[in-house]
Amino acid sequence: MPQLDITAFSPQIIWLVITFLVLYVLMAKIALPRIGSILEERQARIDDNLDAAQSLRNESSAEAEAYEKSMAEAREQARSAIYDATQEMSADSARRHEELGTRLSGDLKAAEERISQAKEAAVAGIHEAAASVAAQATERLIGIEPADEAVASAISTALDTSVKEAG
Amino acid sequence: MAEAHNPLEQFEIKTLIPIKIGEFDASFTNSSAFMVIAVIAATALMVFAVRPRAGVPGRWQLLAELSYQFIAKMVSDNIGKEGRPYFPFIFTIFMFVLFGNFIGMVPYSFTFTSHIAVTLTMALVIFVLVTIIAFIKHGFHFFSFFLPAGVPIVLAPLMIAIEVISYFTRPFSLSVRLFANMMAGHTLLKVIGGFVVPLGIFGVVPIAGLVAVTGLEFLIAFLQAYIFTILTCIYINDAIHLH
């Protein structure tokens, strides 16, 4: 077995020590610090980016909140404006309604008065007409001109009775 | 013919450049060459692949970063915060063994981790370092490590014997595990490969086996590097926290 050849030990061990030390120096002084710093740098950058993202997120959520708030305010304002307008309009219409009602009832009263005056006038006319008709008829029939008072009372009695009968 | 097909031939140490330092033979061998290649490959990955210092890593940079994080997590899981100073050492062990194992998978290459001289040297250095750390951290209180708390005093001699033996066999179990795994795998590949040509058309059967075993060997190459490294972590943790 070549491994047990003692004479080959010393060159192997000497070169092992040399190469191992060289590798150790290269790793410890150059490679490992360099890779360590690369990894650290990257970690720092990732952390920074995460922090930045977090702060941006906070900012945007604050913006969104403000937007929500202003939206709610505007909505509230619109609602109250609509309410006011409705209120005003309904008050206006009620007022006009009332005015119209008063005017109409005034007109109605006046009309009723005119009607009753016309009626009275008509009734009075009927009495006179009936009296003159009755006086002339009496004169024609019996040749006597009846006294005005008698004719008038008879007429009014008769008319009252017929009015009563007519109900 | 039989010589050429010896499955252990691949483990032969061949001197490329003979060097002598005093009494010691310090020749540059095929083993040394592959150690240098492993160092260059690991450096290429860990230093040059991360040159762009990209915020979003490319493939090679990602591989380097994943290796870093893999070992960093292993250290923090097994040792905790106190393991931080040992991170470069543990990382170097992982890279060295991993690249040694992986480069050894290339046909006609040499696997320096399949030599007990290499693995035992590494394990002994780890063992000595761990013991020194333990003494620096705990002084003579370190010896309490050999008697776990709550053991009945009657059992103490037995427990101390067991703990001492298990402590001192650590470097051997650590080194033999890696060396034996690598050597066995490569020998197996060579042996199965030796069946391919003599079997003629039926050589496809050992070839299928070779493919499967090669896949398994890649897994073992990673797994043994992982085990070697995590055991180093556990030993350092024992030294820092005792039991």
Side-chain angles (χ1 to χ4, degrees), chain A residues 10 12 14 31 42 45 47 67 70 79 94 104 117-118 139 141 144 146 153 160 165:
Chain A
S10 74
Q12 285 189 75
I14 287 165
R42 182 175 313 147
R45 219 161 90 185
D47 289 348
Y67 167 77
S70 70
R79 222 170 52 78
L104 284 180
Q117 273 171 11
E139 203 179 344
L141 284 173
I144 301 160
S153 80
D160 283 352
E165 270 166 15

Side-chain angles (χ1 to χ4, degrees), chain B:
Chain B
M1 197 64 183
E3 209 66 58
H5 283 288
N6 184 351
L8 296 182
E9 189 203 350
Q10 57 178 320
F11 302 116
E12 216 77 63
I13 300 281
K14 295 181 190 100
T15 302
L16 301 179
I17 305 164
I19 302 169
K20 275 258 181 203
I21 301 171
E23 283 295 295
F24 289 103
D25 179 14
S27 304
F28 191 79
T29 62
N30 52 351
S31 169
S32 324
F34 279 97
M35 286 176 191
V36 171
I37 291 171
V39 169
I40 290 170
T43 308
L45 174 66
M46 297 309 294
V47 177
F48 296 108
V50 295
R51 258 279 154 72
R53 299 185 62 102
V56 179
R59 260 178 261 174
W60 291 103
Q61 189 183 331
L62 185 65
L63 198 57
E65 286 174 10
L66 286 177
S67 315
Y68 179 99
Q69 284 168 322
F70 178 62
I71 301 301
K73 188 166 167 6
M74 190 194 286
V75 170
S76 71
D77 283 353
N78 285 292
I79 311 179
K81 268 207 175 82
E82 300 94 327
R84 198 77 203 140
Y86 310 108
F87 172 59
F89 178 66
I90 292 164
F91 188 81
T92 309
I93 287 175
F94 179 70
M95 279 314 201
F96 196 73
V97 175
L98 185 73
F99 275 83
N101 293 352
F102 271 165
I103 289 169
M105 288 305 295
V106 177
Y108 299 108
S109 69
F110 181 86
T111 319
F112 60 80
T113 46
S114 68
H115 271 259
I116 187 76
V118 173
T119 60
L120 187 59
T121 306
M122 291 177 77
L124 281 173
V125 168
I126 291 165
F127 176 76
V128 171
L129 277 178
V130 162
T131 310
I132 290 171
I133 291 166
F135 268 108
I136 289 172
K137 293 267 177 193
H138 303 287
F140 285 99
H141 188 66
F142 163 64
F143 289 111
S144 73
F145 181 76
F146 297 117
L147 184 62
V151 172
I153 199 73
V154 188
L155 286 177
L158 186 63
M159 284 305 294
I160 289 171
I162 291 172
E163 289 286 338
V164 169
I165 290 168
S166 79
Y167 190 77
F168 283 97
T169 50
R170 272 175 175 184
F172 303 103
S173 65
L174 188 61
S175 58
V176 169
R177 184 182 300 110
L178 177 58
F179 135 75
N181 265 288
M182 296 324 291
M183 183 188 151
H186 285 267
T187 309
L188 185 65
L189 283 176
K190 186 84 182 178
V191 169
I192 297 174
F195 285 123
V196 175
V197 176
L199 283 179
I201 190 72
F202 297 107
V204 290
V205 178
I207 284 179
L210 271 182
V211 172
V213 174
T214 305
L216 182 71
E217 278 306 305
F218 272 106
L219 175 71
I220 289 174
F222 170 75
L223 199 65
Q224 288 305 321
Y226 175 73
I227 291 172
F228 198 90
T229 315
I230 202 162
L231 281 174
T232 307
C233 287
I234 290 169
Y235 294 161
I236 292 176
N237 179 50
D238 278 348
I240 292 173
H241 298 116
L242 294 182
H243 269 301

Side-chain angles (χ1 to χ4, degrees), chain A residues 89-111:
Chain A
M89 262 152 68
S90 69
D92 193 41
S93 95
R95 191 168 47 73
R96 276 202 223 164
H97 196 77
E98 194 138 323
E99 254 172 36
L100 193 64
T102 349
R103 205 161 48 133
L104 284 180
S105 70
D107 286 357
L108 198 62
K109 244 180 220 165

Side-chain angles (χ1 to χ4, degrees), chain A:
Chain A
M1 218 160 81
Q3 278 91 341
L4 299 180
D5 176 12
I6 299 289
T7 58
F9 271 32
S10 74
Q12 285 189 75
I13 292 169
I14 287 165
W15 281 98
L16 168 66
V17 171
I18 293 169
T19 51
F20 190 90
L21 283 180
V22 168
L23 186 64
Y24 178 81
V25 170
L26 286 172
M27 292 296 119
K29 297 293 166 211
I30 303 172
L32 296 180
R34 185 181 290 181
I35 295 175
S37 78
I38 290 172
L39 293 176
E40 251 166 52
E41 236 166 65
R42 182 175 313 147
Q43 195 55 48
R45 219 161 90 185
I46 290 169
D47 289 348
D48 277 2
N49 286 357
L50 282 180
D51 283 353
Q54 186 61 41
S55 77
L56 283 179
R57 192 157 123 189
N58 290 346
E59 221 169 275
S60 78
S61 78
E63 297 274 295
E65 218 162 90
Y67 167 77
E68 278 301 320
K69 212 170 142 192
S70 70
M71 268 308 262
E73 262 170 29
R75 217 172 279 136
E76 184 62 31
Q77 231 166 4
R79 222 170 52 78
S80 77
I82 289 170
Y83 178 77
D84 285 354
T86 321
Q87 206 73 350
E88 202 174 304
M89 262 152 68
S90 69
D92 193 41
S93 95
R95 191 168 47 73
R96 276 202 223 164
H97 196 77
E98 194 138 323
E99 254 172 36
L100 193 64
T102 349
R103 205 161 48 133
L104 284 180
S105 70
D107 286 357
L108 198 62
K109 244 180 220 165
E112 269 171 1
E113 222 153 274
R114 270 205 313 276
I115 289 167
S116 71
Q117 273 171 11
K119 209 164 142 188
E120 262 165 44
V123 169
I126 285 172
H127 277 248
E128 268 170 38
S132 86
V133 166
Q136 280 175 7
T138 311
E139 203 179 344
R140 194 80 64 85
L141 284 173
I142 56 173
I144 301 160
E145 202 176 338
D148 282 352
E149 290 85 33
V151 172
S153 80
I155 288 299
S156 75
T157 313
L159 272 177
D160 283 352
T161 319
S162 71
V163 165
K164 257 175 210 161
E165 270 166 15

